[in-house]
Amino acid sequence: MIHRSVIGSVERAVAHLLDTHGGALPAWLAPVQVAVLPVTAAELPNAEDLARRCADLGLRAEVTGPEDGGLGARVRRVRLVPYQAVIGPAEAGGDHVALRLRDGRRIPSRPARDVLARIAALTGSHSTDLWSTTAPC
C-alpha cells in the first residue's frame, strides 16, 4: 500500500482555497489576472497590446473581444477575474484603461502604464487587496 498524504493535503488545501474564496482566488493566484475587454473591434489592437504589456510584467492576461458577445455579457463571463480592463474609443486614443474590479468597484480611466504598474505591485506582494490607495504609483 502506498500512502499519498502529500498529494491529499495539497488537494485539501486547494479545495479549502476555492471554498473560502468562492472560486474567486486572490489576484496573485488567479489563473487569469487581467481580462482585457475592448468595447468594439476597433479597439482590439489596443487590447492585444495591453495584454502583451501585461505579459511583459509577468501578469496573466487574456483578451475577450467583441466576437464573444456584447460588453455586458463579456463582463459577466469574466466576473471572477480580479481585474477587468475596459478599452473604449476614449481610452484607446490616449493609451488609458478603465478598470473594473472583481468586487464591483470601478476605477476611472487612467494611463495604462500606471494601472499595470499598480496591479503588478499588488500581485507581486501577494496582497489580497485588489486596489490599495497606499500601493506605489
Side-chain angles (χ1 to χ4, degrees):
M1 172 190 239
I2 298 174
H3 185 63
R4 302 181 308 156
S5 65
V6 173
I7 294 173
S9 63
V10 171
E11 289 173 359
R12 283 191 295 278
V14 171
H16 175 70
L17 271 172
L18 291 173
D19 187 47
T20 300
H21 296 287
L25 295 170
W28 61 272
L29 189 58
V32 176
Q33 295 167 319
V34 180
V36 185
L37 306 166
V39 175
T40 66
E43 291 88 28
L44 196 55
N46 298 79
E48 291 168 346
D49 179 59
L50 185 69
R52 183 192 48 76
R53 289 163 57 190
C54 286
D56 291 345
L57 290 172
L59 297 170
R60 296 178 294 277
E62 175 178 284
V63 176
T64 305
E67 68 278 357
D68 293 328
L71 183 61
R74 289 183 282 146
V75 166
R76 284 188 299 277
R77 192 173 306 123
V78 298
R79 71 186 180 284
L80 295 180
V81 175
Y83 303 100
Q84 300 148 18
V86 179
I87 300 177
E91 289 82 14
D95 193 33
H96 279 61
V97 63
L99 201 63
R100 292 169 158 267
L101 305 179
R102 175 178 56 211
D103 63 9
R105 288 183 285 168
R106 293 184 184 188
I107 309 301
S109 183
R110 300 179 63 153
R113 178 186 71 248
D114 296 346
V115 170
L116 294 181
R118 181 170 292 189
I119 292 172
L122 287 167
T123 57
S125 68
H126 295 147
S127 174
T128 56
D129 191 11
L130 289 177
W131 195 259
S132 171
T133 57
T134 60
C137 302

